[in-house]
Amino acid sequence: MKACYPGTFDPITNGHLDIIERAASMFDELVVLIMENPRKKCLFSTEQRKRMIEQSVKASNVSVVIGSGLTVYFAKSIGCQAMVRGIRAVSDYEYELQQATANLTLDETVETLFFIARPEYSFLSSSVVKEIAMNGGEISGLVPDEILAEVQTGMKRL
Ligand code: ADP
């Protein structure tokens, strides 16, 4: 089965990477889907985010694709039967439940599957990484080693 893991990944964190590795071991193919959202202000361009994910992921059945429009329609158009999302807390659950239900009404043939965050990453988000880096804090251990320098450089531009 082919699944996708849609998100913003601005930038990818070790929490995202953990979900990618766990999902990649369950599906034949996993597409990490960077959805373009003109309303979201990102620090890194979609191309930069794509490259950072490619540098971080080791599994051979994972690819990275940039998508636009409605996620569920895009997922279907590239042959995915399932979408993976991560849940860190009840606050994530409320949002994710609404999204997944909306997606089910748009296309009931695409299932949303949830992975529970590992406890050590349950506080971790791209925003937390940016906040820490912006204020000169240590982000090693929070993002993949392969992209550490790029994230730090990206933050200095702000
Ligand atoms: P979006 O803007 O679509 O929420 P994100 O890149 O912020 O994109 O997150 C993508 C998905 O990864 C979401 O389902 C989010 O809940 C999940 N996620 C983010 N950080 C973690 C983490 N530390 N552990 C597990 N799942 C996570």
Side-chain angles (χ1 to χ4, degrees):
M1 189 190 281
K2 181 174 175 178
C4 66
Y5 176 31
T8 310
F9 308 106
D10 185 45
I12 183 172
T13 69
N14 281 341
H16 291 131
L17 191 58
D18 180 58
I19 301 292
I20 292 170
E21 283 165 358
R22 286 159 64 192
S25 72
M26 292 190 65
F27 297 102
D28 301 310
E29 248 185 275
L30 182 74
V31 177
V32 180
L33 189 52
I34 305 173
M35 289 306 294
E36 280 183 310
N37 181 350
R39 273 172 291 109
K40 247 189 194 167
K41 210 115 187 61
C42 287
L43 174 63
F44 299 101
S45 70
T46 42
E47 287 303 331
Q48 271 179 306
R49 283 178 272 150
K50 180 173 191 278
R51 202 163 19 83
M52 285 195 274
I53 299 169
E54 285 167 347
Q55 283 167 358
S56 308
V57 174
K58 302 281 175 293
S60 58
N61 61 338
V62 177
S63 58
V64 188
V65 167
I66 295 168
S68 58
L70 284 170
T71 307
V72 67
Y73 290 166
F74 191 87
K76 183 69 173 274
S77 77
I78 59 169
C80 295
Q81 290 160 272
M83 298 197 292
V84 165
R85 296 283 289 177
I87 290 190
R88 289 158 291 187
V90 177
S91 51
D92 276 348
Y93 175 74
E94 287 183 12
Y95 172 76
E96 296 292 341
L97 178 65
Q98 186 184 33
Q99 292 292 313
T101 310
N103 288 333
L104 205 56
T105 65
L106 291 169
D107 188 333
E108 62 178 21
T109 68
V110 181
E111 289 289 353
T112 302
L113 302 171
F114 296 109
F115 283 72
I116 300 301
R118 253 178 225 291
E120 60 265 42
Y121 297 138
S122 64
F123 71 96
L124 188 54
S125 66
S126 300
S127 310
V128 162
V129 166
K130 284 183 276 193
E131 196 62 35
I132 294 173
M134 204 187 319
N135 291 288
E138 184 56 60
I139 56 164
S140 75
L142 304 184
V143 299
D145 289 342
E146 292 80 0
I147 67 160
L148 206 51
E150 187 163 355
V151 174
Q152 277 156 345
T153 310
M155 293 313 301
K156 283 199 200 108
R157 286 199 312 266
L158 287 182

